[in-house]
């Protein structure tokens, strides 16, 4: 900032904050609450000063928090490894907690953030709006994978619609017409809503009427539940000739259900997944899937967060990352 | 303690610690370093006083740290869920960091522990002795799964020798004699050393000479590396008729290698794993394995840690938990 005309005292008078808080905000911004920094930076601009233009140097004590909603889901652990790599490259410590945020635990988390000198937070879930409002007031925040469709939050995600269309067009081109969808709960997860939409749109564009009996919802995406639900589908009078699953876990369940019910994959039924987590290469046949760049998503989420910490006036940014169709044995013969 | 004859002042004089530290240690032991508590409690005993006999009440701000060496290994994430359940039931917050502890990062972790008011730590790796010495001076500590064979550390583990014998006897009873072992690095991991020992002993007791060509080491237990190593084994002049793997990940790799090389499981080759993680039920055939009670291991590790925090004079305890042989399709037909 231009200290010749905008003194700490002037900023203090304008904001009502103490001179020592103003001083700390400009010298050690990572020690000061995000909302306070915003107030100070706005005051500097209104007083005609210039903001610090260099990124504040990171200290080795800076701490980033990743809040993981389902700790033993490998999809999230791979994102966390990306966050960790970006944090470590910038000399930050990454802390991880295993919590699904809600109005019941948000105060505990906010207390923890302030007591533990947490500089910023990456979350991997969509929040209730009032929970999101409370959290974003207290800390710089980036959403990764799942996100809220509001204007003032940065997030990193993938194009779920386009990824789903890509997979469905591939299966249609392979000659399959009776394509089932095994999905998580579209009312709860944005990704599930978009994959359902992409499934319906692509079939309709191909002139195929969506068969409601071929849409199976496994609310929590659990393997055993999915095996039961898909086995039931395979026992009906009109089993599908392909199954597109909204996760690799559910695709592994589809392979298992096909084996139990005596269908050959891919000859009788093609099976495809989503995510490209480790399980997709461990089964036989291994699983055709959509690669989500999980490490990159985590890395970019943390990088974005660090730039927001360094410059609290930074506007929210959204990053929609590319996905890839990976063809393996479960659809290819 | 018996306050009538042992005052804070007497303890302060004997230990050289301030009266306020002594007071805090007895009223809020979770706020005081473990080593300091030990000094104070020893002084009370030497002065003829009695120690606090009730467990100190936990506060909601108490924090436990789990240090996970391989964050995306499901074996560890299941242990962490057990730690989390015990922590939450006792009103504690669980923090998780993803670090393999060594002399290169131990100071950073120790700084973090003291700055963040961490009351105790659960680790899941064997440490170099000087690293262990530094850590145990600074915090109550419990080892879970892997451990150091020293006298003054509490740990929770399983009986690896007995579990391995149980599996080998089962495979021998099924009539297989050419049993290969696919193991992690016995020089690095205690569990791998014990499973190698159990394998050799059980074969020798059955009158079978161990064939060194049938012992395959996959240092990091990586899936793809294991597929390559096991495929090479299957291409030799004398392939095994059973493969016992020291993890379910490597057993999944054995299934994959058998499929690639044209061996039927279990008809031509039986395959068995270890751990009972999710992957063991997701493959076809699903995998015969040894159940490690991972959730219980984590839960007990945290419970033990909380009792050490409440009573720093508590002697180290070791818990060796039972395992179970779970027979599935990869050995059964």
């Amino acid at each position: 900032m231009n200290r010749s005309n905008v003194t700490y005292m002037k900023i203090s008078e304008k904001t009502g904050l103490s001179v020592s808080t103003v001083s700390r905000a400009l010298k050690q911004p990572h020690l000061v609450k995000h909302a306070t920094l915003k107030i100070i930076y706005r005051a500097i601009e209104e007083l005609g000063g210039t903001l610090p233009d260099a990124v504040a140097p990171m200290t080795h004590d800076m701490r980033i928090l990743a809040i993981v909603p389902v700790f033993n889901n490998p999809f999230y652990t791979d994102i966390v490894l990306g966050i960790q790599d970006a944090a470590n490259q910038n000399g930050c410590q990454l802390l991880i907690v295993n919590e699904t945020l809600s109005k019941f635990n948000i105060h505990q988390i906010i207390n923890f953030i302030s007591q533990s000198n947490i500089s910023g937070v990456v979350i991997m879930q969509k929040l209730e709006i009032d929970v999101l409002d409370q959290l974003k007031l207290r800390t710089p925040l980036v959403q990764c994978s799942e996100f809220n469709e509001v204007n003032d939050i940065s997030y990193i995600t993938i194009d779920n619609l386009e990824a789903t269309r890509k997979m469905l067009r591939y299966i249609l081109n392979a000659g399959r017409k009776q394509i089932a969808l095994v999905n998580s709960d579209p009312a709860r997860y944005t990704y599930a809503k978009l994959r359902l939409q992409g499934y319906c749109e692509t079939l309709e564009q191909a002139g195929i009427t969506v068969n409601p009996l071929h849409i199976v919802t496994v609310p929590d995406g659990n393997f055993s539940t999915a095996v039961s639900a898909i086995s039931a589908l395979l026992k009906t009078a009109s089993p599908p000739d392909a199954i597109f699953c909204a996760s690799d876990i559910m695709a592994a369940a589809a392979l298992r259900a096909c084996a139990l019910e005596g269908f050959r994959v891919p000859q009788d039924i093609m099976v495809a997944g989503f995510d490209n987590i480790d399980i997709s290469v461990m089964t036989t046949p291994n699983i055709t899937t959509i690669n989500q760049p999980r490490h990159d998503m985590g890395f970019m989420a943390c990088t974005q967060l660090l730039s927001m910490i360094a410059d609290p006036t930074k506007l929210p940014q959204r990053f929609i990352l590319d996905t890839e169709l990976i063809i393996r044995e479960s659809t290819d013969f």
Side-chain angles (χ1 to χ4, degrees), chain A:
Chain A
M1 58 175 283
N2 181 347
R3 289 191 187 160
S4 61
N5 62 352
V6 183
T7 61
Y8 291 172
M9 184 62 80
K10 280 189 189 169
I11 300 170
S12 168
E13 283 168 4
K14 185 162 180 71
T15 59
L17 296 164
S18 72
V19 171
S20 66
T21 298
V22 173
S23 164
R24 197 181 314 119
L26 294 169
K27 289 178 179 162
Q28 299 173 287
H30 60 285
L31 296 180
V32 175
K33 272 186 203 152
H34 193 56
T36 307
L37 282 181
K38 275 191 169 170
I39 291 167
I40 291 171
Y41 284 19
R42 197 184 313 125
I44 293 171
E45 289 187 310
E46 290 174 1
L47 289 166
T50 50
L51 294 176
D53 53 5
V55 169
M58 301 296 174
T59 80
H60 277 276
D61 289 337
M62 189 184 280
R63 285 175 204 141
I64 301 298
L65 179 67
I67 303 179
V68 182
V70 187
F71 187 70
N72 55 348
N73 182 332
F75 176 73
Y76 296 114
T77 51
D78 289 343
I79 288 177
V80 169
L81 291 179
I83 298 172
Q84 172 116 31
D85 283 348
N88 290 355
Q89 283 182 24
N90 286 279
C92 297
Q93 171 94 43
L94 178 68
L95 299 185
I96 305 151
V97 295
N98 170 34
E99 297 280 354
T100 300
L101 293 180
S102 70
K103 62 187 174 202
F104 300 111
N105 62 6
I106 187 66
H107 290 293
Q108 188 195 352
I109 290 289
I110 285 174
N111 283 344
F112 171 68
I113 289 168
S114 59
Q115 286 167 14
S116 296
N117 196 17
I118 300 291
S119 300
V121 175
V122 179
I123 64 173
M124 288 150 233
Q125 63 170 122
K126 188 174 172 178
L127 298 179
E128 289 169 72
I129 284 299
D130 57 336
V131 173
L132 179 66
D133 286 344
Q134 290 179 68
L135 188 60
K136 76 187 182 198
L137 264 182
R138 303 301 290 266
T139 181
L141 181 66
V142 174
Q143 288 186 302
C144 190
S145 185
E146 284 284 282
F147 60 94
N148 288 74
E149 287 159 56
V150 294
N151 288 326
D152 57 348
I153 291 285
S154 292
Y155 59 78
I156 320 288
T157 191
I158 59 156
D159 188 338
N160 277 288
L161 264 182
E162 180 51 30
T164 303
R165 288 189 195 115
K166 191 156 47 181
M167 179 63 88
L168 265 290
R169 284 194 299 259
Y170 162 72
I171 297 172
L172 286 164
N173 284 340
R176 303 294 162 111
K177 301 261 186 279
Q178 302 297 316
I179 307 172
L181 171 68
V182 178
N183 202 3
S184 307
D185 184 357
R188 184 165 168 204
Y189 299 109
T190 304
Y191 77 82
K193 188 183 75 178
L194 292 168
R195 291 175 201 173
L196 174 62
Q197 182 186 336
Y199 166 84
C200 293
E201 285 176 4
T202 313
L203 289 188
E204 281 160 11
Q205 279 164 17
I208 295 172
T209 307
V210 171
N211 178 353
L213 297 176
H214 278 179
I215 298 179
V216 175
T217 302
V218 181
D220 57 357
N222 175 276
F223 177 82
S224 303
T225 314
V227 172
S228 302
I230 298 165
S231 294
L233 172 68
L234 297 180
K235 285 174 177 151
T236 59
S238 57
D241 57 14
I243 305 176
F244 168 54
C245 302
S247 76
D248 291 335
I249 301 277
M250 292 193 285
L255 293 185
R256 183 80 190 147
C258 287
L260 293 173
E261 301 300 328
F263 291 90
R264 294 167 304 160
V265 177
Q267 294 88 338
D268 302 325
I269 301 179
M270 287 187 176
V271 170
F274 206 109
D275 292 342
N276 194 30
I277 60 172
D278 287 349
I279 181 71
S280 66
V281 297
M282 292 186 178
T283 56
T284 300
N286 53 24
I287 298 171
T288 292
T289 191
I290 295 285
N291 181 56
Q292 288 210 56
R294 300 178 303 286
H295 187 279
D296 289 357
M297 290 163 73
F299 195 95
M300 289 182 69
C302 186
T303 304
Q304 171 69 11
L305 182 65
L306 293 173
S307 72
M308 289 163 61
I309 294 166
D311 175 8
T313 63
K314 201 173 162 75
L315 292 174
Q317 285 193 277
R318 289 81 191 274
F319 300 90
I320 316 286
L321 302 194
D322 281 343
T323 57
E324 288 169 333
L325 172 61
I326 298 182
I327 296 172
R328 299 206 181 100
E329 297 159 354
S330 67
T331 61
D332 196 35
F333 60 108

